[in-house]
């Protein structure tokens, strides 16, 4: 997923919170200087749905326009919890504070994931896609981070003893007062 915004009368490609200027080069084509190298964005005028072609030195990716995901507080609450990966022995905490979902890791503290499309967020480690069971309940997520693709995390819903360290972590992850 890629986000393109109109700000200050110009188009910008969003990379996290950073705006990357899109320099018009004619015929619906724009050049973008990215940390990973130059990128050519082509907006196809004959397609009213707004198809974008992003060309880099290695190939072309095609994107279709979709409405942005703007989750409600109730939707964000579904994502709160502790997530574990058996593959990379990692723990991610998703908390809900001040109406915002936050990803908390001891490595970098707390960051606010950027909603992209339904159940999908951009974060510093990469793209997080939440997974739901057949009843629609969030059961985990997959992490796509550069060469790291498809790492699975499961939502830890195990009951814990009151007063245990895990109980305090889970209570805090749900936004409840610790004490």
């Amino acid at each position: 997923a890629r986000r393109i915004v109109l700000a200050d009368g110009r188009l910008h490609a969003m990379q996290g919170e950073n705006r990357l200027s899109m320099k018009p080069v004619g015929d619906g084509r724009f050049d973008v200087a990215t940390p990973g190298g130059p990128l050519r964005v082509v907006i196809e005028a004959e397609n009213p749905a707004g198809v974008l072609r992003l060309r880099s030195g290695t190939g072309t990716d095609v994107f279709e326009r979709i409405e942005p995901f703007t989750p409600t507080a109730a939707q964000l609450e579904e994502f709160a919890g502790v997530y574990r990966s058996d593959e990379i022995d990692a723990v991610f905490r998703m908390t809900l504070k001040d109406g915002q979902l936050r990803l908390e890791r001891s490595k970098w503290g707390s960051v606010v994931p950027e909603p992209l499309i339904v159940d999908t967020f951009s974060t510093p480690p990469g793209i997080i896609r939440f997974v739901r069971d057949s009843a629609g309940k969030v059961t985990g997520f997959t992490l796509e981070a550069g060469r790291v693709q498809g790492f699975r995390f499961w939502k830890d819903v195990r009951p814990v003893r009151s007063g245990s360290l895990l109980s305090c972590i889970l209570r805090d992850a749900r936004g409840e007062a610790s004490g």
Side-chain angles (χ1 to χ4, degrees), residues 16-75:
E17 294 296 314
N18 300 320
R19 287 186 193 166
L20 304 175
S21 291
M22 295 176 60
K23 179 181 174 186
V25 293
D27 296 326
R29 295 175 296 136
F30 299 82
D31 286 340
V32 182
T34 71
L39 185 67
R40 169 69 49 95
V41 177
V42 179
I43 301 173
E44 297 181 350
E46 67 274 3
N47 187 333
V51 169
L52 295 179
R53 295 190 188 281
L54 303 181
R55 295 188 179 111
S56 63
T58 59
T60 300
D61 293 320
V62 178
F63 295 85
E64 292 183 30
R65 185 179 190 283
I66 59 167
E67 290 302 314
F69 177 46
T70 52
T72 65
Q75 288 172 308

Side-chain angles (χ1 to χ4, degrees), residues 28 36 45 59 74 79 115 133 147 150-152 164 168-169 175:
F79 304 121
D133 63 16
R147 294 189 317 240
F151 277 116
R152 293 183 304 266
S164 71
C168 294
I169 291 170

